[in-house]
């Protein structure tokens, strides 16, 4: 099993390695997101777990790679790489599109008869069997960029800086194609307990829509509501980390947040 501080695998960023941590947390980003968006979460979780933050193809250090526009395919490829890192108890955390990808990764473990993660945190993502009523991936480049800025979590400078637009558009369109064309069967379940997290004013994944994840687990369900909207997770880092740490059994105080957040 891997033990070095560096991760040669492009699928994962390991910002604050902990070879001695008793558990491992894997973070799956939102549509258009990259691993660095979750740097604060990874650093704050470091006392409790070794953290892998997933880097989907087509962004940052994987900019030259072809994008993937299917949630099941993203999950399948991430699962193949993650099996090598299952030497410690796994916890999966996915935000928005990442919730669906994490769910499908857990299903891959169950399909192959492997132990898989111990629990699954699904953040700001509607239950996987619910219909998707948005078609952002069909908008023009300008329309798509305006919509994701409206949702929050993305720097509005991408609307005016050509270099940023060029960098973000292919991955953004692929991700929104993936999540907006994804729908799991009503009877799709995982054996792990699921903890749903949602911003109380999120219009993209409402409290009721996140609560319906209860249908998709045989291991029990809990729901936590936070102040904020779809990207509450950026403003509630300490609260989110404390929730995850509580489930890991960690008692170490959360590390102070960094003062500079990298541009997604």
């Amino acid at each position: 099993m891997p033990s070095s501080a560096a991760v040669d695998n492009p699928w994962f960023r390991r910002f604050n390695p902990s070879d001695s941590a008793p558990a491992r947390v894997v973070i799956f980003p939102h549509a258009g997101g990259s691993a660095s968006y979750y740097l604060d979460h990874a650093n704050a979780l470091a006392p409790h777990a070794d953290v892998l933050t997933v880097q989907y193809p087509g962004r940052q250090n994987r900019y030259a790679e072809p994008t993937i526009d299917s949630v099941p395919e993203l999950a399948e490829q991430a699962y193949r790489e993650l099996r090598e890192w299952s030497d410690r108890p796994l916890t999966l955390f996915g935000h928005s599109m990442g919730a669906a990808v994490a769910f499908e990764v857990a299903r891959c473990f169950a399909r192959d008869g492997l132990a898989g993660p111990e629990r699954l945190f699904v953040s700001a993502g509607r239950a996987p069997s619910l219909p998707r009523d948005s078609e952002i991936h069909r908008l023009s480049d300008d329309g798509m960029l305006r919509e994701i800025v409206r949702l929050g979590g993305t720097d509005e400078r991408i609307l005016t800086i050509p270099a940023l637009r060029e960098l973000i558009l292919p991955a953004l369109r692929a991700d929104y194609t993936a999540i907006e064309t994804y729908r799991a069967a009503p009877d799709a379940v995982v054996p792990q307990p699921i903890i749903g997290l949602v911003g109380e004013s999120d219009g993209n994944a409402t409290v009721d829509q996140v609560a319906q994840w209860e249908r998709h687990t045989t291991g029990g369900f809990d729901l936590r509501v936070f102040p904020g909207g779809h990207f509450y997770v950026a403003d509630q880092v300490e609260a989110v980390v404390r929730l995850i740490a509580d489930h890991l059994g960690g008692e170490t105080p959360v590390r102070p947040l960094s003062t500079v957040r990298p541009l997604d």
Side-chain angles (χ1 to χ4, degrees):
M1 296 299 175
S3 61
S4 65
V7 176
D8 294 329
N9 192 318
W11 275 89
F12 306 116
R13 301 294 301 274
R14 197 172 177 222
F15 296 116
N16 207 326
S18 178
D19 290 333
S20 60
R24 181 166 282 130
V25 173
V26 186
I27 299 174
F28 294 81
H30 55 280
S34 56
S36 64
Y37 187 88
Y38 298 88
L39 175 62
D40 282 344
H41 301 79
N43 286 341
L45 278 165
H48 312 281
D50 187 50
V51 182
L52 299 179
T53 307
V54 176
Q55 187 80 295
Y56 307 130
R59 64 215 73 199
Q60 292 190 338
N61 59 307
R62 304 189 71 185
Y63 172 71
E65 298 182 42
T67 57
I68 298 174
D69 62 1
S70 160
V71 166
E73 182 59 25
L74 274 171
E76 185 68 40
Q77 293 201 28
Y79 160 69
R80 292 173 188 169
E81 306 302 329
L82 188 57
R83 285 180 301 185
E84 186 181 359
W85 292 84
S86 60
D87 55 316
R88 294 179 239 178
L90 292 175
T91 287
L92 307 186
F93 177 95
H95 184 72
S96 195
M97 181 187 78
V101 179
F103 175 70
E104 291 295 337
V105 168
R107 292 183 71 195
C108 288
F109 276 100
R111 176 198 67 198
D112 292 348
L114 301 177
E118 291 194 340
R119 63 191 65 79
L120 175 62
F121 288 87
V122 293
S123 169
R126 62 182 67 184
S129 60
L130 293 178
R132 311 277 167 174
D133 52 7
S134 63
E135 292 190 330
I136 294 173
H137 71 284
R138 296 185 181 275
L139 296 176
S140 66
D141 289 350
D142 287 342
M144 185 168 58
L145 290 172
R146 283 194 298 267
E147 183 62 18
I148 62 121
V149 168
R150 184 190 67 79
L151 285 173
T154 302
D155 195 312
E156 65 182 14
R157 287 178 295 173
I158 66 171
L159 296 175
T160 58
I161 301 178
L164 286 176
R165 291 166 59 95
E166 181 180 350
L167 284 171
I168 197 174
L169 275 167
L172 187 67
R173 192 171 296 282
D175 288 356
Y176 272 96
T177 299
I179 191 57
E180 291 180 338
T181 59
Y182 167 75
R183 192 172 180 184
D187 60 351
V189 296
V190 293
Q192 294 85 6
I194 292 180
I195 302 94
L197 296 78
V198 61
E200 61 185 357
S201 59
D202 189 347
N204 193 57
T206 66
V207 172
D208 179 65
Q209 289 170 330
V210 176
Q212 293 186 54
W213 277 95
E214 185 173 13
R215 304 176 182 179
H216 295 280
T217 174
T218 59
F221 178 80
D222 189 20
L223 179 67
R224 301 297 179 94
V225 180
F226 295 81
H230 193 61
F231 282 95
Y232 79 91
V233 71
D235 300 318
Q236 300 290 330
V237 176
E238 291 190 10
V240 170
V241 167
R242 289 187 190 281
L243 176 62
I244 297 172
D246 284 347
H247 281 267
L248 297 174
E251 300 295 335
T252 307
V254 175
R255 290 185 179 183
L257 303 184
S258 62
T259 56
V260 178
R261 186 185 305 279
L263 178 66
D264 183 28

